[in-house]
Amino acid sequence: MQKDRTFVRITFYFVVASMAISLCSTAWKILIGHQGKYSLVAAEVAAGLLLVLIPAFLSRIFRFQLPTFLYFFFMAFIYCAIYLGDAYRFYYIPYWDKFLHLISGALLLGLGFAVLGLLQKQPGRLSPAFLCLYGIAFAVFCGVLWEFYEFSVDSFFALDLQRYAAKGRDLPGRAALMDTMGDLFADAAGSALFSLYAYWRLKKDPAWLTSFFFKKS
């Protein structure tokens, strides 16, 4: 448990430091006259930094411990999605979006464990196999809800979040499904891969499950 917390602490310092340095560098470029080019980048980096810092501040204010692995995957997702993806345009890299869905699959599995800790008095009595199957089901269900959200937004605002169109024209048949189904496959794959690690850890130490629980500090 202590090694896990140390690893997450190092990750936190790395993410915060790199975002802070980037924000200062971008702010300097704005000050010397490049507002139009760097203003949006600065806003996106600042948003990512705030999202990473807010849970840490809340844990101090309300005196609770952040779930170790849950916070790690949250930081990794924010760093890759907002900092690298939006601010530095990594979304132009092929399959970057699918890579993010792999991370979110692991994040959502951890969230499922956290929810279980809130609802179940003695979740440690459940078998590792059941816990992992439950975690995968929870993660994929959340992925489906996200696709519901994208479909609804596309239906009302025509933003093409589900990549159903190209060059202003709707894609036909299977081509229109590729982005949505690819996202769901990536969600399932990410949660399944992390569940293998979770199964090994739970078999070795059932108390490892509590690293996903919100606890008073």
Side-chain angles (χ1 to χ4, degrees):
M1 294 287 184
Q2 185 59 41
K3 290 182 180 179
D4 293 341
R5 285 193 288 269
T6 301
F7 175 71
V8 172
R9 189 177 297 113
I10 292 172
T11 303
F12 173 80
Y13 290 143
F14 168 77
V15 169
V16 171
S18 60
M19 284 187 171
I21 292 171
S22 180
L23 184 60
C24 291
S25 174
T26 306
W28 170 251
K29 291 175 182 177
I30 292 173
L31 288 174
I32 62 176
H34 298 286
Q35 291 91 345
K37 187 176 180 181
Y38 292 102
S39 296
L40 180 59
V41 174
E44 289 171 337
V45 173
L49 185 59
L50 282 174
L51 286 172
V52 170
L53 289 174
I54 285 174
F57 284 136
L58 290 178
S59 70
R60 288 181 176 273
I61 293 172
F62 295 104
R63 298 182 181 277
F64 66 89
Q65 295 180 12
L66 289 170
T68 308
F69 273 86
L70 189 62
Y71 191 44
F72 167 76
F73 281 113
F74 173 76
M75 288 189 293
F77 183 80
I78 295 300
Y79 190 81
C80 293
I82 296 180
Y83 180 67
L84 296 179
D86 286 331
Y88 290 96
R89 304 299 181 258
F90 270 46
Y91 279 116
Y92 289 107
I93 297 175
Y95 303 109
W96 184 256
D97 179 59
K98 300 300 179 280
F99 169 69
L100 292 177
H101 276 275
L102 282 174
I103 297 177
S104 70
L107 170 64
L108 292 170
L109 185 142
L111 179 61
F113 285 168
V115 170
L116 185 66
L118 294 173
L119 300 178
Q120 185 75 16
K121 291 183 178 180
Q122 294 179 315
R125 291 188 176 184
L126 300 172
S127 71
F130 175 83
L131 289 170
C132 291
L133 287 174
Y134 155 77
I136 294 172
F138 183 91
V140 174
F141 172 69
C142 290
V144 170
L145 292 180
W146 177 256
E147 296 302 324
F148 284 172
Y149 158 75
E150 289 191 339
F151 176 80
S152 299
V153 172
D154 286 345
S155 298
F156 287 105
F157 302 105
L159 295 181
D160 194 25
L161 296 178
Q162 293 188 303
R163 304 297 187 269
Y164 62 86
K167 297 181 180 179
R169 295 185 177 182
D170 289 352
L171 296 170
R174 184 181 179 86
L177 294 174
M178 292 300 291
D179 181 74
T180 297
M181 295 310 299
D183 290 348
L184 292 176
F185 273 118
D187 290 334
S191 60
L193 287 173
F194 186 59
S195 74
L196 295 176
Y197 175 75
Y199 180 81
W200 173 72
R201 288 297 301 263
L202 290 169
K203 290 288 287 187
K204 187 178 179 180
D205 179 18
W208 181 75
L209 182 66
T210 62
S211 65
F212 293 92
F213 296 171
F214 291 91
K215 294 175 287 187
K216 293 183 178 180
S217 59

